[in-house]
Amino acid sequence: DTPAGAMTAVVGPADAVADALAALPAEVEVAARNAPGAVTLSGPVERVAEAEAALADVGDVMVHRLAVGHAFHSAAMAPVADELRRLVEQTPRGVGRIPFASDVDGHVVAPGESLPADHWSRQVRQTVRFEDAVRAVSDGERRLFVEVGPGGVLVRLARRVLGEGRAPGVATLPETAAPGHIAIDSVSSMPVVFSTSSSFHSVCFSVCSGHAG
C-alpha cells in the first residue's frame, strides 16, 4: 500500500510558474511537465495544500486539485516502482512494431527497440515528460493529435506546446462519456474508432503522418 497523497494541476505564465516551482514546500514534487507554464504537482495532502495556497497568491496562476487519492509520480510511488520492476523483469517481453513517444525519456521509441524493465518502473515514479514527448513526436512536422478517452485536455496541452496552428487535434469522447462507450469520428475523411472502459486512462496518440500522458 502507498500512503494517501494529492495532486494538483498548475497553469499560468511560464515565467510565473517557473518562479513558483522554485519555492515549493518540501516533499512536493513536479509530477508532470505538460507544456510551458503547465505542470502537475504531487505529494502528501498537507504539503500539496500548502503549495496550492502559495500559488493562489501568484497573479494569473490557476490551480486545480485532481480527483486522485495518491501522490503518483512522486517518492510515495518508490515501493510500487521497485515491485513493478521486479515483476517486469520476470515477464517475457517482446519489442514494439509501432514507434511511440515515451513520456519517460521524452524521445521516440523506434520499432524493434527493446525497453529495459526500469523504463516502466520509472514511469510510475518520475516526472512525466509530456511536453518533451509531444515535441519528439512532432519533430518539426505538422501532426494530427487524437485523444483517446473522455475530455480533450491532452489535445489542448499539445496545442500549448506546439502552438495553436501546429497541433490540430480531436477528442474522441465527451467529458462525461460512459464506460464502454465506443466513439466513431472522422478525421480528414479517415474513420477513427476507439473504445474505453472504466479503467481506461486518458492518453493522446498522434496519427496521420503522424502521446502524450
Side-chain angles (χ1 to χ4, degrees), residues 96-213:
R97 293 179 294 175
I98 300 173
F100 69 93
S102 167
D103 59 15
V104 175
D105 298 315
H107 71 260
V108 173
V109 178
E113 183 176 345
S114 178
L115 294 173
D118 75 344
H119 177 91
W120 307 105
S121 60
R122 286 189 294 127
Q123 201 283 331
V124 172
R125 166 63 183 90
Q126 72 181 36
T127 302
V128 175
R129 297 171 58 181
F130 182 83
E131 179 180 351
D132 291 340
V134 169
R135 294 189 189 281
V137 78
S138 175
D139 193 26
E141 300 293 331
R142 190 169 186 267
R143 307 293 189 183
L144 173 64
F145 291 84
V146 178
E147 181 163 350
V148 185
V153 64
L154 300 182
V155 165
R156 292 194 293 271
L157 286 172
R159 292 179 183 140
R160 189 177 178 107
V161 172
L162 300 175
E164 193 69 29
R166 296 190 57 244
V170 60
T172 59
L173 295 173
E175 198 76 42
T176 57
H181 177 78
I182 296 178
I184 303 179
D185 206 337
S186 177
V187 183
S188 299
S189 301
M190 182 182 71
V192 180
V193 183
F194 297 104
S195 176
T196 66
S197 69
S198 58
S199 61
F200 195 92
H201 292 277
S202 292
V203 292
C204 181
F205 293 98
S206 64
V207 297
C208 300
S209 165
H211 176 38

Side-chain angles (χ1 to χ4, degrees), residues 1-8 27-32 40-45 48 66-78 80-81 121-128 201:
D1 291 339
T2 58
M7 302 178 73
T8 193
E27 301 179 75
V28 176
E29 302 181 47
V30 177
T40 301
L41 305 181
S42 182
V45 176
V48 170
L66 303 186
V68 299
H70 297 280
F72 299 106
H73 305 290
S74 76
M77 294 293 109
V80 175
S121 60
R122 286 189 294 127
Q123 201 283 331
V124 172
R125 166 63 183 90
Q126 72 181 36
T127 302
V128 175
H201 292 277

Side-chain angles (χ1 to χ4, degrees), residues 47-72:
R47 301 289 85 77
V48 170
E50 290 175 12
E52 290 172 330
L55 288 163
D57 294 331
V58 180
D60 299 324
V61 173
M62 298 180 294
V63 297
H64 174 71
R65 179 70 67 94
L66 303 186
V68 299
H70 297 280
F72 299 106

